[in-house]
Amino acid sequence: QVQLVESGGGLVQPGGSLRLSCAASGSIFTIKSMGWYRQAPGKERELVADVTSGGITNYGDSVKGRFTISGDNAKNTVYLQMNSLKPEDTAVYYCNIRAGPRWFTDDYWGQGTQVTVSS
């Protein structure tokens, strides 16, 4: 049993900042990557950012230079620092952890946390 608990979402003005956190509980094998996805109304879920256990990061084009992802494998926790937020960033943000042995991967998802960027 693995659960991902997200926190940090909310309402923020354009140009503001938010920091999302996601903590995983339960028995998890070797973490391969941790990341964040988001889904806005009428749009498909898209990758925001992820980071491998080796520290390699990847960002969606729309958030490069504004968002920073970090992870703590020891705590099974991933963070997303969001700066210079835009209304276009409004979405439900989902935490994702990929873990398992080399030959397969388990996907774990958080329940989603709402981020709203508006005046």
Side-chain angles (χ1 to χ4, degrees), residues 35-50:
W36 292 91
Y37 292 72
R38 69 185 183 187
Q39 187 168 18
K43 299 180 63 178
E44 295 184 353
R45 187 174 300 186
E46 64 176 349
L47 173 70
V48 178
D50 60 16

Side-chain angles (χ1 to χ4, degrees), residues 5 25 52 61 63 69 75 91 102 109:
V5 180
S25 63
T52 70
D61 289 340
V63 307
I69 189 170
K75 295 182 178 181
R102 180 179 179 181
W109 292 93

Side-chain angles (χ1 to χ4, degrees), residues 36-88:
W36 292 91
Y37 292 72
R38 69 185 183 187
Q39 187 168 18
K43 299 180 63 178
E44 295 184 353
R45 187 174 300 186
E46 64 176 349
L47 173 70
V48 178
D50 60 16
V51 57
T52 70
S53 60
I56 300 173
T57 58
N58 183 49
Y59 295 91
D61 289 340
S62 63
V63 307
K64 290 180 179 177
R66 300 187 297 121
F67 292 9
T68 302
I69 189 170
S70 61
D72 187 337
N73 287 349
K75 295 182 178 181
N76 293 337
T77 301
V78 61
Y79 307 92
L80 184 69
Q81 178 66 46
M82 303 184 293
N83 299 324
S84 302
L85 283 162
K86 305 175 181 179
E88 304 91 271

Side-chain angles (χ1 to χ4, degrees), residues 1-7 20-36 70-79 94-99 106-111:
Q1 295 182 354
V2 176
Q3 292 185 341
L4 306 185
V5 180
E6 303 173 348
S7 62
L20 306 183
S21 299
C22 174
S25 63
S27 298
I28 303 178
F29 285 91
T30 303
I31 293 176
K32 298 178 180 180
S33 68
M34 299 181 287
W36 292 91
S70 61
D72 187 337
N73 287 349
K75 295 182 178 181
N76 293 337
T77 301
V78 61
Y79 307 92
Y94 297 91
C95 172
N96 171 257
I97 294 179
R98 298 180 182 271
D106 285 328
D107 243 336
Y108 305 101
W109 292 93
Q111 79 286 352

